Amino acid sequence: MHHPGNATPGRFPAAERFADGAQYIEGRLTRGTSGRTHTVVDPATGSEVLTYALAGTDDVDAAVAAARAAFPAWAGATPGERADALYRFAGVLAERAEEFARAESLQCGKPLKLTREFDVPGTIDNAAFFAGAARHLQGQSAGEYSGDHTSYVRREPIGVVGSIAPWNYPLQMAAWKVLPAIAAGNTIVLKPAETTPLTSLLFARAATAAGIPDGVVNVVAGTGPEAGEHLVGHPDVAMTSFTGSTAVGRRVAGIATATVKRLHLELGGKAPFLVFDDADLDAAVHGAVAGALINTGQDCTAATRAYVQRPLYEAFVERTAALMETVRVGDPFAPGTDLGPLVTHAHRDRVAGFVDRARSAARVVTGGKAPGGELSAGAYYLPTLIADAARDSEAVREEIFGPVLVVLPFDGDDEGIRLADDTPYGLAASAWTRDVYRANRATREIRAGCVWVNDHIPIISEMPHGGYGASGFGKDMSAYSFEEYTQVKHVMFDNTAVVRKDWHRTVFGDR
């Protein structure tokens, strides 16, 4: 396996950019007041990127107060005014694209080609999409549904939204939470993962540069148990949006429902990759490697369980392993790198633990270890293919969240679809076949929020993203996201001017 050379110069100067602090409240950077610090570490080298003061409960209170104060004016702005601000926001993001790409690669370990070609352009496109969508917050048209009344539906912003974003896509997930919320007229307090706060802070600063009023977008960088739980339970927060693991999602749901908040959860996944015997084998192999390894496998929609119909099984295993071995693991800033490190050394060790435990009852075809040499200081793990695991084994059932693909055979179509659905998760899936009837059946019967046919991973701003079952509920992106961030109000006018209505007799008097 080729290892690209040393990193190119020009890593993001985080300490310089956040010298004033790593909290963004009411349009300015401030220092956290928890009394504790956190160090952001470059996972490619293990070196310190930024040590900052963590947010405490007082910082959350200040951010929520700023958002609450900004809400009436922002909610009262016309759709056109909010759209203009979001178009400017998209423009600022585009101007600063390289800065965002380098900051994201530095804190997450993503190769620059991924951040430049996926994370950042996708975020800019989201901003442009929601700029347009802000002018289309529509309800049911007015009508006389009772005969004596005119009814119509208003969509109104909810208030202050408290959002918690994960570490695997810090920039994109910040955008997925902030953009629909503010397009609908809400204000927001975002808590990024404390390990990866840099691009969320840059995102909030870009909002200010675009002319979005102070207090509309606020960021508190703190721990989940302190800043996160205080934000979710805050009495002035009207809605909670959380992306992360299913286990933490249950905790968030418990706190949010105790205060009767609107709740949106995008949780874990264990996406099946279903290959029928008539599939284009080369296409399926390339799709499996790309779908399993994107973002070093740290993607809730990543291909994790490949079920391959028996006539293609051995060839799929052989070719997939061979293609994985060509993937270039190296420093995210080095030209030619395909796969960077995992986000932390602790997470790398967690992924390695899954693979090591699988060895006793399955075949590790390729990978299954951390590289040595010049990469040994980083949180790297080689692309890994596991074959012949038991269907009820940990590697098949649990979310590994690393560059690991498990491959199992199946026989008939009924069995393949049953296996694809044999999971509590339901975020994403794919089916690989040349047969339109097989494809249609798979898209009908696989229980997941997104089912791709002959591809795996692509997302677009116009279409919704969200899961079934243990993968949570609610949608990110698309016009459907406004279902999460607006209140629907029925308004009803009497058209008769009659003092005593006919229905009054059910309460008093006779006809």
Side-chain angles (χ1 to χ4, degrees):
M1 183 176 298
H2 172 62
H3 296 244
N6 293 328
T8 56
R11 279 171 139 76
F12 178 77
E16 173 187 317
R17 296 297 174 85
F18 300 113
D20 294 330
Q23 317 300 325
Y24 198 76
I25 300 171
E26 204 169 7
R28 64 188 183 93
L29 288 170
T30 63
R31 297 184 185 279
T33 61
S34 70
R36 289 177 281 95
T37 62
H38 182 83
T39 299
V40 178
V41 174
D42 178 354
T45 63
S47 60
E48 177 182 332
V49 170
L50 173 72
T51 296
Y52 69 95
L54 287 161
T57 57
D58 288 347
D59 302 301
V60 174
D61 289 343
V64 172
R68 186 179 182 189
F71 174 71
W74 184 248
T78 67
E81 289 168 338
R82 291 200 293 269
D84 287 347
L86 284 165
Y87 277 123
R88 294 194 302 270
F89 193 10
V92 174
L93 294 173
E95 291 168 0
R96 301 179 180 182
E98 182 66 10
E99 176 184 50
F100 277 99
R102 288 184 173 274
E104 195 79 333
S105 290
L106 181 63
Q107 67 181 352
C108 300
K110 300 169 186 272
L112 268 177
K113 68 176 180 179
L114 180 64
T115 58
R116 284 170 172 167
E117 298 177 29
F118 184 78
D119 298 67
V120 175
T123 301
I124 295 166
D125 187 69
N126 278 183
F129 171 81
F130 281 108
R135 303 185 83 144
H136 295 279
L137 277 168
Q138 298 173 345
Q140 190 170 0
S141 61
E144 286 70 48
Y145 299 100
S146 78
D148 291 338
H149 304 83
T150 295
S151 289
Y152 66 88
V153 169
R154 289 176 56 88
R155 282 192 178 274
E156 298 179 347
I158 296 169
V160 177
V161 178
S163 290
I164 300 176
W167 49 258
N168 58 329
Y169 287 103
L171 176 60
Q172 284 200 311
M173 296 302 176
W176 287 10
K177 294 186 180 305
V178 170
L179 294 168
I182 66 173
N186 301 285
T187 56
I188 193 164
V189 178
L190 175 74
K191 192 204 87 66
E194 65 271 24
T195 53
T196 56
L198 305 184
T199 47
S200 295
L201 292 163
L202 293 176
F203 191 74
R205 295 180 79 173
T208 299
I212 293 173
D214 293 348
V216 172
V217 179
N218 307 273
V219 176
V220 288
T223 66
E226 184 173 3
E229 292 193 7
H230 190 64
L231 179 62
V232 172
H234 200 290
D236 290 334
V237 170
M239 175 184 168
T240 292
S241 174
F242 171 81
T243 298
S245 72
T246 298
V248 178
R250 292 190 184 101
R251 171 68 178 164
V252 169
I255 298 171
T257 54
T259 51
V260 198
K261 287 177 171 41
R262 177 79 68 89
L263 183 61
H264 170 214
L265 298 174
E266 197 263 276
L267 306 176
K270 190 70 176 175
F273 187 97
L274 187 60
V275 182
F276 292 99
D277 58 10
D278 69 322
D280 181 325
L281 181 57
D282 284 339
V285 166
H286 282 79
V289 172
L293 300 185
I294 187 170
N295 203 34
T296 319
Q298 299 165 127
D299 187 310
C300 295
T301 63
T304 58
R305 298 178 291 137
Y307 295 106
V308 182
Q309 204 153 12
R310 204 169 295 275
L312 298 184
Y313 179 71
E314 290 299 339
F316 180 90
V317 171
E318 180 182 349
R319 294 189 194 184
T320 300
L323 186 57
M324 278 188 171
E325 290 168 1
T326 70
V327 172
R328 299 165 296 180
V329 180
D331 190 285
F333 287 78
T337 291
D338 296 321
L339 195 78
L342 291 155
V343 70
T344 64
H345 289 75
H347 185 60
R348 190 269 310 277
D349 294 344
R350 176 183 178 276
V351 170
F354 275 102
V355 177
D356 291 343
R357 291 189 295 274
R359 293 180 194 278
S360 61
R363 184 163 48 110
V364 179
V365 184
T366 189
K369 63 182 180 180
E374 64 184 14
L375 301 183
S376 59
Y380 292 93
Y381 199 75
L382 295 179
T384 300
L385 185 68
I386 298 174
D388 307 331
R391 292 173 179 175
D392 61 351
S393 64
E394 177 190 57
V396 175
R397 304 292 299 175
E398 300 295 327
E399 189 174 29
I400 298 174
F401 224 57
V404 180
L405 177 64
V406 183
V407 188
L408 300 92
F410 72 92
D411 291 303
D413 290 16
D414 290 349
E415 181 187 26
I417 291 175
R418 179 176 59 79
L419 290 171
D421 276 339
D422 185 22
T423 177
Y425 298 109
L427 189 58
S430 63
W432 296 75
T433 176
R434 291 181 171 99
D435 186 325
V436 67
Y437 298 102
R438 272 178 159 170
N440 277 332
R441 181 187 177 189
T443 60
R444 285 195 312 272
E445 296 184 16
I446 293 175
R447 292 185 55 77
C450 176
V451 181
W452 292 282
V453 177
N454 296 327
D455 208 344
H456 195 110
I457 286 297
I459 53 175
I460 50 176
S461 297
E462 291 83 358
M463 288 291 111
H465 175 86
Y468 289 23
S471 291
F473 49 82
K475 299 299 179 185
D476 290 310
M477 299 195 297
S478 81
Y480 290 99
S481 64
F482 287 132
E483 302 292 339
E484 315 303 319
Y485 294 101
T486 56
Q487 298 275 20
V488 175
K489 177 186 286 184
H490 170 215
V491 178
M492 196 174 199
F493 282 87
D494 170 57
N495 292 332
T496 66
V498 172
V499 173
R500 184 166 180 181
K501 309 292 194 287
D502 186 55
W503 70 268
H504 291 178
R505 75 182 190 281
T506 62
V507 181
F508 62 92
D510 302 316
R511 187 184 295 274

